[in-house]
Amino acid sequence: MKCPGEKSHRNQARRCYGIAALSCVATLVLELTLGCCRAQLITTGFLMPHSSEPAHDLTGLSLEQLSQLDIVQPNVLGGHTHPAGEIMFGYTYMHTHMSGLYQGTREISPAEAFAEGFSTVHTEMEMDMHMFDVMYAPTERLTLMAMLPFKTESMLHLTNDNTRFTQSADGIGDLEVMALYTVFGDIRKGGHRLVVNAGFSFPTGSINVRDHADGDPSRPLVLLEYPMQFGSGTFDLMPGLTYLGDTGRWSWGAQTIETVRFGRNYHGYRFGNQYRVSAWGA
Ligand SMILES: [Cu+2]
């Protein structure tokens, strides 16, 4: 976090938190409004049956074979399971663009933010996320999955003396592992299924992400804002429940997954808990 000016240390600290809070609001609101702009460009996986058959990719399969593969909605976290012995490697690319400043739900101009005493505002943030995941089903009822994101981020700043600068960073995020246990139904028969999700997030993503002050390589490295940090810094529990429906031709589902954070990270903060609800059809 960068705070120019010859203020007392205490004053600076407060100003920093002010900016961080403002940026959090901007992030939250834009997540909602730009949610549909998240481009899910590529989602592929190849399935490796437990037998000695060579691995094949999806491009060699007929439409009918594709429709029989249980790779419904891979972009829904833990939203599908696999039959016993199957391994899936997945890759998802996601681009998130955020811009604008919000106070509550009202968009404000940088000038208004400066008038409130902020010395620097964030005008835009870009994030590219490459998500790698692997799934394996040791039994018919149990599927295990692990996911690790790689993030490239940049944030554009505007200061009250009208200087613009960019800070950027890249690195891995938090490793998530999840067990999906089918409590009702059978993946081979289709119909209705109920799956219990039990996930855990390890703080492998840095919360010490730094870049040069003012984006100027000659200046010292400073800690970047909360949205620029790669991980939560805490161990998080992710319990959830997934309902899957399948008639062979159509499939649909609904899911709720929570993220419950434990303690505080070594910088003394923690993110809020998350509650997610998704529904889909295909
Ligand atoms: Cu899978």
Side-chain angles (χ1 to χ4, degrees), residues 165-191:
F165 66 93
T166 304
Q167 287 174 322
S168 51
D170 54 66
I172 60 163
D174 289 341
L175 172 71
E176 293 178 357
V177 295
M178 183 174 279
L180 296 93
Y181 192 79
T182 304
V183 289
F184 174 81
D186 183 339
I187 186 172
R188 298 206 186 257
K189 291 196 185 116

Side-chain angles (χ1 to χ4, degrees), residues 80 82 88 135:
H80 68 272
H82 290 272
M88 184 188 106
M135 298 181 80

Side-chain angles (χ1 to χ4, degrees), residues 47 70-71 74 80-82 86-90 133-136 143 145:
L47 299 166
D70 190 55
I71 46 170
H80 68 272
T81 66
H82 290 272
E86 209 167 70
I87 297 178
M88 184 188 106
F89 293 96
D133 72 271
V134 56
M135 298 181 80
Y136 170 66
T143 295
M145 76 182 286

Side-chain angles (χ1 to χ4, degrees), residues 134-148:
V134 56
M135 298 181 80
Y136 170 66
T139 74
E140 217 57 5
R141 284 184 178 276
L142 181 66
T143 295
L144 304 171
M145 76 182 286
M147 295 189 298
L148 189 68

